[in-house]
Each structure stands twice: as structure tokens, then as C-alpha cells.
Amino acid sequence: MAFFGAPTSHEDDPERAVRAGLEILEGISEITAEVQRDYGESFNLRIGINTGLAVVGEVGTSAVSEYTAIGDAVNVAARMEQTAQPGNLQISADTQKLLSGSFQYETLGVIDVKGKAEPVDVLHVLGLQFDSGVSRNVAAPLIGRDEELTAITELMHKSREVNGQVVSIIGEAGLGKSRLVSELRNEWIKHEPEITWEFSQGIPYDMGRPYSIFQNLVRGMFGVELTDPRDVIHAKVNGALRAMGGAEEAVNLCIVAVEKIIAAKVLFEAPNFSAEAIKNDVFSVVVPAFVAAENESPRAVIFDDLQWSDETSKELIINKLDYVTGTKTVLILAFRPAPDSPAQEIRDAVQSKVPDKYSEFVIEPLGVDDTNELITELLHIKDIPDAARELVLRKAEGNPYFVEEVVR
């Protein structure tokens, strides 16, 4: 048994658990094949995940004890595992509700769990899928952000005239940075159907993995799935980059460099290339190749949650600043105001390198009037009892995400 959320909790513990489970299944696949080949025996495992309240702490005696979790949530997790097929990862609906759009599922129906009056909804996690960066559907329109939406849209139009722009959207968690980016995408595509929209997002547990943000970016650009074998990745990257045009030698170098970025274990799967050689390829070839493509049509490149950027991606974004302002590109950087984060270093570099092309928008909590409007839109009720409205106002403190959660 492994558990996430104690002794240290994170906002994405359910997602971390599912990603860990998928990697365990991927890692066991080679051993499964070896046992079948060498001994003619089937060998596999199954994984079950549930999310809920548990009692966590030292259990046992002074002589023998262990740090563990006990309770109903643990029992349901065990039931998820016991009823899963070999080689499968099975989760409860309580876990699925807390996950982002990063996974593909198969609904399996319900199972009975001892001690629970109602059966539990169960899903089979098929694997990862690329997150386009479009925020989840919400019942209410974007409220209280008209000024920012209008101003950034104007900057995006300005970039059409080979007048690249860099925009920072800064705000605490839940204030609506990602939602604003999603609305910008909808607005621009509505008026500029030929726009290319590229998205990547920082992930806290990827901060130690080189090029993690750019891996996510180029996977989306080239349609590369996380499960694609090397030959399929090469075919996709090769076809897309050659379609961009350019000198044969430069295109060949670019293909190699992009494939190095995409490789999830870049330094292990490319043992003949040092980290410095990979970095030189990427900085000298990939960035100029992207810039050449960015001159052809309007393009938005979005890096969300930059406070969780890895070191190499941070350097690569700063390097890209030398090129972006002479293109039809708007570079949108969204991050939390953490003074010691990689995002702050990127912000400082933008202000130093391209101050005349840089705009910054700090997202503040909603005022009382906007919060009231959001509550009304979410509930579709105008005459909400004052006590109920004041409860939401007090608990949410102007944070749109908290308003949604409290109302729900």
C-alpha cells in the first residue's frame, strides 16, 4: 500500500497517485514479458486507488510499529485492487472527480463493498492523454475579468503584424488564470480561425525532469502520444518539420533535437549525447526552427503554472525571448506570485530583454458585486437567501474557484 496526501499534502495528490500507478504498470511490463519468455508463466499485478478521509499515524507497539493509514477509504481502495483485472489500474468515482483532464477512462459500472450500503462506481484508467489547456466546463460565464480579456486580446491582434508580444498573467491559485487563458483562446479563434494555439503546463513533480514543460509543448505540437514507440514519434516529427520547410541539414538537426526533448527519459535514452550537447542542439536549432514557423501565421504559445518550471525549460523560455518579438507570436506566461520560483526569473528576464513588448496583468480576488453575480449565475437563482449568499461570500473571499466549490 502507498498513500498520497500525508504527511505532506499537495493540491494534486489524486493525480500523482494515478500517474504513479500507470508508471508501475509500465515498469512491470518488461518483467511480465521476461517471465513469460523464460518460464512460460503469467506474471502481472493490478492496482486500485480510492480517495477519502483516513486516520494516519504510527500504528503498533513501541517495539514494532509502522506509519500507515486506516479507515473506510483504505478498505475501498483495497476493494478497487481486488476487483481489477491483472495489468489494470482501477479507481473509484471519488478519485475520478478530483482528477484533471489528463487521463482516459473506461466506465466499468458498480461493485459492492463490505460495510457500505450503496455500491461504488468504478472506472478503468486506460492511460494518459494530452491536456489541451482548455479549462473544464463551468456553468457561469467569465465574470470580473473584462478589462484583462479586452487588453490581452488587443495585444494578441497586435502580434499579427510581426510585432511579437509577451504577456504575464499573475495570480494566486483559484483566481482564474487558466480560465482567462481559455477565454482568450475562444475569443482569438473566433476572429482569427487560422491561429495556431500551443499550450504547455508546469507540473510540481516534474520540476526535476529536464525539458518537462517543452516535452508537453512539443507533444501537443506534433500529436505525439505518451505511449507512442520511437518509430512513430520519428514519423510524426519528421513529417511535421519537413512540412515547415527549411534547409535539409537544419531540418535533420531539428528532428534529432525535438526527439531528444520528447523522450521522457531524455538523458537515459540518449546515452551518446551529453546533457550539454542536447541543450546546445535545442537552443541553437529548435528555437530558430520554431521561430521560422511562427513567422508564417499568427501563433499563441502559452506556458501555464510556470512557478513549476524545470530549470532547463526556464532557460529555454528565456532564450526564446531573443526571437519572439520579431514574429507573429504572443507568448503568454501564467504563474503564481512566488518570489523564489523559476517564473520570477523568467519575469525578470522579460522585463530586462524586451520591456517595450511586455505587458503584465495581476489577477485580484473578485469584489463583492462580481462575487454576487457569480453566485447567481452558478445557482440560476436571483432570490438567494441572504444567509446562504453571505456564507459563500465569507468562505470564498473573492476566489472564483472557491466560489464554485462552495456553491457545489
Side-chain angles (χ1 to χ4, degrees), residues 120-132:
V120 176
D121 290 313
V122 176
L123 300 97
H124 168 209
V125 181
L126 300 173
L128 289 161
Q129 69 178 3
F130 175 70
D131 188 345
S132 67

Side-chain angles (χ1 to χ4, degrees), residues 155-182:
L155 290 169
M156 293 170 80
H157 287 305
K158 187 184 292 187
S159 70
R160 290 210 60 192
E161 308 302 323
V162 194
N163 187 14
Q165 302 288 316
V166 183
V167 175
S168 284
I169 302 174
I170 307 170
E172 297 289 355
L175 290 184
K177 299 183 296 298
S178 299
R179 177 72 194 281
L180 178 57
V181 167
S182 179

Side-chain angles (χ1 to χ4, degrees), residues 177-344:
K177 299 183 296 298
S178 299
R179 177 72 194 281
L180 178 57
V181 167
S182 179
E183 291 294 327
L184 286 167
R185 177 181 185 271
N186 294 338
E187 281 294 310
W188 205 11
I189 289 178
K190 189 190 305 178
H191 298 100
E192 308 281 355
E194 75 274 25
I195 177 67
T196 301
W197 186 270
E198 293 162 357
F199 175 88
S200 186
Q201 187 171 25
I203 301 172
Y205 46 81
D206 265 353
M207 291 183 71
R209 181 161 61 92
Y211 304 103
S212 63
I213 286 183
F214 274 84
Q215 283 179 29
N216 296 334
L217 180 70
V218 295
R219 282 186 180 125
M221 289 176 65
F222 299 108
V224 172
E225 300 293 338
L226 291 166
T227 53
D228 283 346
R230 276 301 186 85
D231 58 337
V232 173
I233 293 175
H234 177 77
K236 290 179 178 179
V237 174
N238 182 64
L241 286 174
R242 294 197 186 283
M244 290 180 184
E248 179 75 12
E249 182 179 357
V251 172
N252 288 337
L253 282 172
C254 195
I255 290 169
V256 172
V258 170
E259 288 179 343
K260 287 176 185 176
I261 294 178
I262 290 175
K265 300 173 183 175
V266 62
L267 298 182
F268 301 101
E269 295 183 358
N272 297 325
F273 300 97
S274 67
E276 196 61 31
I278 293 172
K279 183 175 175 179
N280 289 338
D281 273 358
V282 171
F283 280 42
S284 63
V285 181
V286 173
V287 172
F290 286 170
V291 169
E294 289 163 0
N295 278 319
E296 298 302 316
S297 63
R299 183 178 301 254
V301 182
I302 295 83
F303 293 106
D304 197 6
D305 281 329
L306 263 186
Q307 71 276 0
W308 293 322
S309 172
D310 62 279
E311 186 70 18
T312 318
S313 291
K314 179 197 75 178
E315 293 180 24
L316 194 50
I317 291 170
I318 292 173
N319 180 270
K320 186 178 173 66
L321 296 173
D322 294 331
Y323 303 88
V324 73
T325 56
T327 69
K328 297 179 180 180
T329 298
V330 58
L331 185 63
I332 299 178
L333 315 173
F335 52 92
R336 300 178 189 175
D340 298 325
S341 76
Q344 185 60 51

